[in-house]
Amino acid sequence: MPSPLRLTVRRSPTPDTDGVATLVTLRVPSDVTCIEEAVDLVTRHCLAGQHAWERTRFRLQVVLSEALSNAVMRGNCEDCGKWVDVRAELLPDSIRLVVTDEGPGFDPSAVPEPIRPEQIDEAGGRGLYLIRKLVDAVQFNEQGNSICMILRRP
């Protein structure tokens, strides 16, 4: 069975983005079984032909896994008719990673940190907490259905 993932990789400067050396885009169905393959594909293409620090590789894989899991399970509610778009812009000093779902969005400021004593037994918030700890900058769009994560290269 062919993979349901749709991957596009450009390895030249793109006219619509300033300074982006490589652009990697991927369309992922809202199926949790596709997350591991998607993370592997994006990581491989983001770090191809470059010296990749293990710390950078680890951070990229963890934050992409968490963002995709949140998008598939919480954003799109595992609706197989919806998709998640991944866009990775590879800059000389950083990787800008954007994950967007088709859900209604949420208010990220309303998600409590899971390390608070009253939150320890709660199931939500751990993925977002990990993302915030592992990236250099994180932003959401106004709707709350798209996360932008920046990882600076060492």
Side-chain angles (χ1 to χ4, degrees):
M1 179 174 146
S3 174
L5 303 181
R6 298 180 189 162
L7 176 69
T8 303
V9 179
R10 280 192 221 153
R11 295 212 176 271
S12 60
T14 54
D16 58 338
T17 54
D18 293 331
V20 175
T22 303
L23 179 63
V24 177
T25 62
L26 180 65
R27 192 143 222 243
V28 183
S30 291
D31 180 349
V32 292
T33 64
C34 294
I35 293 173
E36 184 176 348
E37 182 181 2
V39 169
D40 182 53
L41 270 172
V42 172
T43 302
R44 189 169 355 122
H45 285 281
C46 283
L47 303 177
Q50 301 179 15
H51 173 72
W53 297 90
E54 283 304 311
R55 179 170 155 54
T56 301
R57 179 182 303 278
F58 173 77
R59 291 168 57 211
L60 177 63
Q61 290 173 325
V62 171
V63 301
L64 183 55
S65 294
E66 293 297 336
L68 279 169
S69 296
N70 286 342
V72 167
M73 297 173 68
R74 297 187 185 271
N76 287 349
C77 299
E78 298 186 62
D79 179 341
C80 61
K82 294 183 176 178
W83 294 84
V84 177
D85 290 309
V86 178
R87 177 185 174 98
E89 299 172 355
L90 310 180
L91 303 159
D93 62 344
S94 63
I95 299 171
R96 184 174 184 265
L97 194 58
V98 179
V99 176
T100 305
D101 62 57
E102 297 182 48
F106 74 106
D107 179 3
S109 68
V111 178
E113 285 201 356
I115 58 171
R116 293 172 156 178
E118 66 273 14
Q119 296 295 324
I120 293 293
D121 292 331
E122 299 296 323
R126 288 183 176 83
L128 187 55
Y129 178 80
L130 280 174
I131 289 170
R132 286 181 168 143
K133 293 298 180 187
L134 290 173
V135 300
D136 296 293
V138 62
Q139 296 176 325
F140 289 86
N141 68 354
E142 192 171 320
Q143 184 179 335
N145 71 335
S146 183
I147 183 171
C148 174
M149 304 166 284
I150 297 177
L151 292 94
R152 301 212 193 294
R153 296 175 196 253

